[in-house]
């Protein structure tokens, strides 16, 4: 099973790399597969690579759903 998650680009780095933020967690990823990535863009990240840009509202809705799923899983325990 694969999981790709949206993250916000907060800094562009040399060598087609970028720092992204996912709910406050910072990670350095490759943006080599996506042209024209800019700070403030949301990208779908899988195993350290940005796969595509995503609409900011869609990204926020997806992140909210993931957070809700996490809360439901905690409540079920």
């Amino acid at each position: 099973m694969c999981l790709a998650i949206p993250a916000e680009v907060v800094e562009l780095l040399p060598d087609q790399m970028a720092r992204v933020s996912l709910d406050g967690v910072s990670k350095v990823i490759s943006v080599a597969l996506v042209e024209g990535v800019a700070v403030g863009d949301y990208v779908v990240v899988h195993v350290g690579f940005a796969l595509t840009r995503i609409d900011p509202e869609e990204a926020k809705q997806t992140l909210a759903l993931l957070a809700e799923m996490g809360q439901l899983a905690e409540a079920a325990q």
Side-chain angles (χ1 to χ4, degrees):
M1 182 168 108
C2 297
L3 179 63
I5 52 176
E8 182 180 10
V9 177
V10 295
E11 181 182 6
L12 295 176
L13 302 170
D15 301 322
Q16 296 184 310
M17 301 297 283
R19 184 174 314 280
V20 296
S21 175
L22 173 61
D23 202 24
V25 176
S26 179
K27 181 169 177 60
V28 174
I29 65 162
S30 171
V31 292
L33 301 175
V34 183
E35 290 186 29
V37 173
V39 170
D41 284 349
Y42 279 83
V43 293
V44 175
V45 179
H46 177 64
V47 293
F49 288 87
L51 300 178
T52 189
R53 271 191 297 283
I54 187 172
D55 176 75
E57 284 307 310
E58 185 176 349
K60 290 173 187 175
Q61 289 174 0
T62 300
L63 292 170
L65 287 171
L66 290 171
E68 185 179 338
M69 286 174 33
Q71 291 170 354
L72 290 173
E74 287 178 10
Q77 292 179 358

